[in-house]
Amino acid sequence: MAVWLPPFVDHHVHLQLIDSLRLRGGGLAGVVDLGGNAAVVAAMAREATGAGDQGAPYVRFVGAFLTAPGGYPSDRAWCPDGAVREVRSPAEAADAIDEQVSFGASAIKVTLNREAGPVPDGPTLGALVHAAGERGVPVVAHVEGSGTAELAIGAGVDVLAHTPWSERLDDTLVREAVSRGQRWITTLDIHRDDVESQQVAIDNLARFHAAGGRVLYGTDLGNGELPLAINAREIAAMVRAGLDEDAVIAALADPWPAMLHPDGLATRITDPEPSAPEDLPAWLAGAEVGRRR
Ligand SMILES: [Zn+2]
């Protein structure tokens, strides 16, 4: 007897950096693109909608990375043309968001990477969060470097694009993130070759989850060699952070940044449900997208 579950989503991908055709027919019913050229990604989202019957995951997206002039990732070789929208002052915040929304973005991405360049100042970040709130789109932030998680949590950013890995967050800050309703996207497996960073991230996520924080499964597809499917290593790291089967499935099946998945999608797993937690990653990685007709 197959097990049927809600649709599974990778909440952190970069379609321009992967061969998205290889996502077809895998276990992902949906993906959330967290940064690229808004026009290009919007076209890919439309194409995926048309190709739904060929097993293409549905696509939601943020459009461009919003950041300070010269901020991350404008200096990176992988950064696609037109994927960074500089925001110089609070006065530019609303326009920058409206540009992304006009392409169909359903969330906004801000980068706060102090290790790679300037980040938006407090008033500019505040204006971005405020303008996004007025438009009903959540803000997701890339935080990297000392104090950037605190900056994002204090500013009311809705989602962190990665579990913070560059510093251990103290319990008070973790609890504040939880009480503000912040969600964290996992991306633990990108640190698989850096045990120390991964341990910091797992420790932060463990305390966030234990305090009642909402977790979203995400792998940062396009960042190095990652399976273009459900990633068993990501799930294994989530289990190490203390997430049980129900919590892992909730993180995979969350429709964020929307309230609902598109109609007619589900997850189907034909292998028998595992009895031991260590078998959970492989079992979930064997998922396929089931479509109702
Ligand atoms: Zn990313």
Side-chain angles (χ1 to χ4, degrees), residues 12-17 32-38 41 61-65 73 78 80 83-84 109:
H12 189 153
V13 311
H14 299 279
L15 290 172
Q16 285 185 276
L17 305 182
V32 184
D33 189 288
L34 285 194
N37 179 307
V41 176
F61 60 94
V62 300
F65 299 90
W78 54 259
V84 172
K109 175 82 169 278

Side-chain angles (χ1 to χ4, degrees), residues 145-205:
S146 181
T148 51
E150 188 171 9
L151 179 66
I153 293 163
V157 163
D158 301 282
V159 174
L160 299 187
H162 304 274
T163 303
W165 76 93
S166 53
E167 60 181 342
R168 181 185 192 275
L169 306 192
D170 69 39
D171 288 339
T172 312
L173 187 59
V174 169
R175 277 197 299 271
E176 191 187 342
V178 173
S179 69
R180 283 173 168 259
Q182 194 172 64
R183 302 182 201 197
W184 289 4
I185 301 171
T186 54
T187 75
L188 301 168
D189 187 45
I190 55 171
H191 310 297
R192 64 193 172 280
D193 296 328
D194 180 354
V195 179
E196 211 168 301
S197 295
Q198 191 179 54
Q199 215 30 62
V200 171
I202 288 176
D203 171 59
N204 283 331
L205 187 68

Side-chain angles (χ1 to χ4, degrees), residues 48-260:
T49 305
D53 284 345
Q54 282 90 55
Y58 76 80
V59 177
R60 286 172 177 148
F61 60 94
V62 300
F65 299 90
L66 309 190
T67 191
Y72 176 84
S74 51
D75 63 333
R76 299 297 154 112
W78 54 259
C79 184
D81 281 347
V84 172
R85 197 321 184 168
E86 295 182 347
V87 186
R88 288 170 184 75
S89 69
E92 289 186 15
D95 281 353
I97 289 170
D98 285 340
E99 284 166 27
Q100 314 316 313
V101 171
S102 73
F103 283 107
S106 48
I108 293 298
K109 175 82 169 278
V110 179
T111 67
L112 305 171
N113 183 350
R114 277 203 179 120
E115 293 179 355
V119 307
D121 61 21
T124 304
L125 180 59
L128 286 165
V129 170
H130 180 75
E134 282 185 328
R135 287 153 181 79
V137 287
V139 175
V140 50
H142 173 113
V143 303
E144 182 170 357
S146 181
T148 51
E150 188 171 9
L151 179 66
I153 293 163
V157 163
D158 301 282
V159 174
L160 299 187
H162 304 274
T163 303
W165 76 93
S166 53
E167 60 181 342
R168 181 185 192 275
L169 306 192
D170 69 39
D171 288 339
T172 312
L173 187 59
V174 169
R175 277 197 299 271
E176 191 187 342
V178 173
S179 69
R180 283 173 168 259
Q182 194 172 64
R183 302 182 201 197
W184 289 4
I185 301 171
T186 54
T187 75
L188 301 168
D189 187 45
I190 55 171
H191 310 297
R192 64 193 172 280
D193 296 328
D194 180 354
V195 179
E196 211 168 301
S197 295
Q198 191 179 54
Q199 215 30 62
V200 171
I202 288 176
D203 171 59
N204 283 331
L205 187 68
R207 289 178 295 118
F208 178 75
H209 170 64
R214 289 180 69 172
V215 176
L216 301 172
Y217 166 90
T219 64
D220 200 9
L221 285 186
N223 179 350
E225 287 298 316
L226 291 167
L228 296 177
I230 307 285
N231 183 346
R233 292 190 310 246
E234 184 70 34
I235 294 169
M238 292 163 73
V239 170
R240 273 154 54 207
L243 279 77
D244 64 10
E245 179 175 343
D246 288 353
V248 170
I249 290 171
L252 278 159
D254 197 307
W256 183 88
M259 299 294 284
L260 295 169

